[in-house]
Amino acid sequence: MNKVILGVAFVLSLAACQQSQKIAYVDNSKLLDEYQEKKDLEAMLKGKINKYQLKRDSISQAFQVKAQAFEAQAKSLASAVAQQKYSELAQESQLLQQQLMVEEQAIQEESRTKMDTLLKKVKSFIKNYGKQHDYDFILGANDGGSVHYGKADKDITADIVKALNEKK
């Protein structure tokens, strides 16, 4: 029993003798919202999405015009011919939808890839920043609650944002 008490006392005395650690945190949401490279990436992706939407709308309108013209013409065609043209029109519609879906998926994949790359870059930057500024820990605060509370003077988000934006 005495050995246990002595052991606990020894561990507590070692802990008390240790130097205080340098700990800070970064508000991940604020960091990404204010990081210029992320803003530029979002603007570029938004441009691609807008271009895709214009193309999709244009193709859809052209196809609708073609379909309406066929409907008007179908009344005067023989039943077999009308059925054949209707089948061709349906195939064309399916092909157009597949092409548009492939383009949309490509944009989504590019967005995911570029965002993952950006997040890895930010994480690496924060790690190097911590080493350069002699931090023992830099915690990430987010909506998920990895940091529930932090003193304002321990929040280095603005410093990280400034350093990241100057790095360009």
Side-chain angles (χ1 to χ4, degrees):
M1 181 75 168
N2 285 339
K3 286 183 181 181
V4 172
I5 293 173
L6 286 175
V8 171
F10 179 72
V11 170
L12 289 175
S13 66
L14 281 178
C17 292
Q18 281 187 338
Q19 205 174 25
S20 68
Q21 295 180 332
K22 189 172 178 183
I23 300 173
Y25 70 94
V26 175
D27 183 332
N28 294 328
S29 298
K30 186 176 177 183
L31 171 67
L32 290 175
D33 286 345
E34 296 177 13
Y35 182 28
Q36 189 59 47
E37 189 172 335
K38 182 185 177 261
K39 292 177 185 180
D40 295 343
L41 175 61
E42 286 177 335
M44 183 271 297
L45 291 171
K46 187 173 182 176
K48 284 188 176 200
I49 291 168
N50 288 342
K51 185 177 177 183
Y52 162 78
Q53 288 173 337
L54 288 173
K55 179 179 179 180
R56 181 194 62 204
D57 293 347
S58 175
I59 288 171
S60 295
Q61 287 176 346
F63 185 79
Q64 282 180 340
V65 167
K66 190 174 186 177
Q68 288 172 348
F70 167 72
E71 279 187 35
Q73 183 187 34
K75 295 173 187 170
S76 64
L77 295 175
S79 177
V81 174
Q83 188 64 29
Q84 174 65 27
K85 289 206 179 246
Y86 177 76
S87 178
E88 290 170 6
L89 202 58
Q91 283 181 328
E92 183 180 347
S93 172
Q94 189 174 21
L95 182 64
L96 289 173
Q97 287 176 352
Q98 287 173 347
Q99 287 175 327
L100 290 172
M101 186 181 294
V102 166
E103 282 186 52
E104 186 175 340
Q105 288 172 344
I107 291 171
Q108 289 173 350
E109 181 60 29
E110 180 183 8
S111 174
R112 235 185 333 273
T113 301
K114 288 187 184 271
M115 191 57 73
D116 287 348
T117 300
L118 181 100
L119 292 174
K120 286 177 186 174
K121 180 180 177 179
V122 168
K123 186 176 179 179
S124 175
F125 182 87
I126 292 172
K127 183 177 181 178
N128 290 330
Y129 185 93
K131 287 178 183 177
Q132 290 171 355
H133 293 85
D134 201 31
Y135 282 97
D136 294 303
F137 296 97
I138 297 179
L139 308 173
N142 58 31
D143 293 335
S146 60
V147 174
H148 294 286
Y149 169 76
K151 289 184 178 180
D153 65 337
K154 300 294 183 190
D155 183 355
I156 59 169
T157 306
D159 299 332
I160 298 286
V161 169
K162 182 180 177 189
L164 267 170
N165 286 333
E166 288 174 353
K167 189 177 179 200
K168 282 190 171 186

